[in-house]
Amino acid sequence: MSCGMLAACGAPLDEAGAEVSSGEPISASKEASEALTAFCPPDAASTQRMKANLPPADGAPPRSTPAPDAFVNFQGRLYFSALGEAPGRTLWRSDGTSAGTVAVKTLAGLQSLTPAPSRLFFRAVDDAHGEEPWVSDGTTAGTRLLKDLTPGAEGSTLVDLATLGERLVFFRQVNGATPSSELWTSDGTSAGTVRVRTLPEVVPSSGTNFGGPVPADVLKLGGAVLFFTRDASGLALWRTDGTQAGTFRVKDVSTSGTGVSSTRVTGGWAFFYVVSANGAVAVWKSDGTKAGTQKLYTYGSTRAPLLLGVLGSSLYMTTTSASSQRISVRRIPLEGGSETSVVTLPNAYADQGAAYPYVTGISAVEGGTKLYFALTIGGERQAPRDAQLWVTDGTASGTTMLHRPLSRSDEYTSPIYAAADDLVFFSADAESTTGIEPWVTDGTPAGSRLLKDLVPGGDSSYPYGFLRVGSRVFMSTADIYDGGQVWATQLRTTCSP
């Protein structure tokens, strides 16, 4: 497999962790700038399985076959969690070649992979310590327990891991008559893993990641992490830079809120909404300061609202009418002004009983000109009636259905992933011709096509998610023959005639 024109290939590591040859890491800023590059959709020939001997499924159905997950880009290579030869989950790394896809270490409860420039943090469980924070330099010898915060086998309850430069910040939940949380920070050493302060109960936010191998982002903004707490006063927005002086309550956002949802950072702002006890939905933006934390709009009542993202100077979201059973794409100006409807999407089943539409996936690149979303229409029973991929540029004429059907299973939801502004990966069902397989689109209906039939014969590979690392897009699958697998496809900047 060739390296492509965007970045040098990462060098494979041997089993001891020694680098065989040097490769150029792909920086986060370079990844972001390349998201706006014009790419040609990849082809089937460049789409290959990374490792043929990941533990097989032994004929188990997809619902009981764990797919590789927790995909992250660490030092220009893919790291992920998957089943290993021993019980538990295994930390794997891949440079995009079969020889360079190797197991690092197997641990129970391996999750929340969180990369810093020179180290990878995560949560894991072992018999002696329970769940605690771990750290790795990407090698087996360099993967170790970071610190036993709760001495002994009891373990800790950790949430919202995030990195600020080389440092990790995270929260340890404390059970008791009055729930509380502890903010911790770490420089990657046991001695440098310290408690910053005790806080009211930290409320995990509901982000816009809908499953798949890529975890929902913590609200990182301007060198700090934003988070929410609940106490007697209600819900409040906080900010931390990992120090005592830089950790403070920014603003109260609700006295009766039941939770915080649809969190996302884009366009230099953090966005979220709070649902009050009476059903009202308040949409907020924040730059991490009290003055810059403002309520943009309040809906008296709406079903299943969801923030799509920012285009230009406006925030876009969807709302659903319970009476008409139709979704509307709506626009909220960031600097004030009237909230308006962009377009109401069709629902061919709206007059046929229970057929509520809802969004099951969102993707866009930072600074892009389009927002992509998966629209599913419910059925009278558990399985949906329909599932569709849509794109919007913020106008009615630029809001278009790209492909149908996506998966209509009640056990599997099609992921979508924008690798670039005009290059989106998703999974779809070719009406029993190929089963559910990876597809790709250039943002137009005519440019939406099957990437590759990974499991020929009408069976499905069930893609669970995608992540771009350098010039490759990695895919997580779980089929009934080979179980959880990782595939990769090569991006191109020069299209074939």
Side-chain angles (χ1 to χ4, degrees), residues 146-340:
L146 180 57
K147 189 166 187 172
D148 192 6
L149 306 183
T150 305
E154 180 181 354
S156 303
T157 302
L158 310 178
V159 297
D160 288 351
L161 279 67
T163 51
L164 298 173
E166 289 285 4
R167 298 194 67 84
L168 174 74
V169 294
F170 62 96
F171 300 92
R172 175 177 177 264
Q173 294 181 337
V174 180
N175 297 322
T178 302
S180 63
S181 300
E182 296 173 347
L183 171 65
W184 287 71
T185 185
S186 177
D187 63 0
T189 68
S190 179
T193 303
V194 296
R195 181 172 53 198
V196 178
R197 62 174 294 176
T198 299
L199 300 159
E201 178 188 14
V202 170
V203 180
S205 58
S206 172
T208 52
N209 179 64
F210 295 83
V214 184
D217 289 336
V218 175
L219 289 172
K220 294 200 298 184
L221 183 67
V225 171
L226 305 184
F227 61 97
F228 302 90
T229 66
R230 187 199 314 274
D231 59 16
S233 300
L235 292 172
L237 175 69
W238 285 67
R239 175 190 186 278
T240 184
D241 61 3
T243 69
Q244 288 189 356
T247 302
F248 54 86
R249 192 181 190 112
V250 177
K251 194 168 190 174
D252 292 347
V253 295
S254 177
T255 57
S256 64
T258 58
V260 180
S261 295
S262 209
T263 55
R264 84 188 274 117
V265 173
T266 182
W269 295 89
F271 297 95
F272 59 94
Y273 72 73
V274 179
V275 181
S276 298
N278 63 3
V281 175
V283 181
W284 291 76
K285 72 172 183 179
S286 178
D287 63 359
T289 69
K290 183 175 182 178
T293 302
Q294 303 168 8
K295 190 183 300 182
L296 289 175
Y297 194 81
T298 299
Y299 292 92
S301 179
T302 182
R303 186 180 184 277
L306 201 64
L307 306 185
L308 296 179
V310 169
L311 294 175
S313 59
S314 296
L315 172 68
Y316 291 82
M317 67 179 295
T318 61
T319 63
T320 305
S321 168
S323 58
S324 71
Q325 299 193 96
R326 287 178 173 83
I327 273 184
S328 292
V329 178
R330 311 192 72 85
R331 178 191 300 115
I332 304 177
L334 296 181
E335 301 305 326
S338 300
E339 183 267 8
T340 56

Side-chain angles (χ1 to χ4, degrees), residues 429-447:
D429 189 344
E431 297 289 52
S432 301
T433 303
T434 64
I436 299 173
E437 296 290 351
W439 283 57
V440 66
T441 180
D442 62 3
T444 67

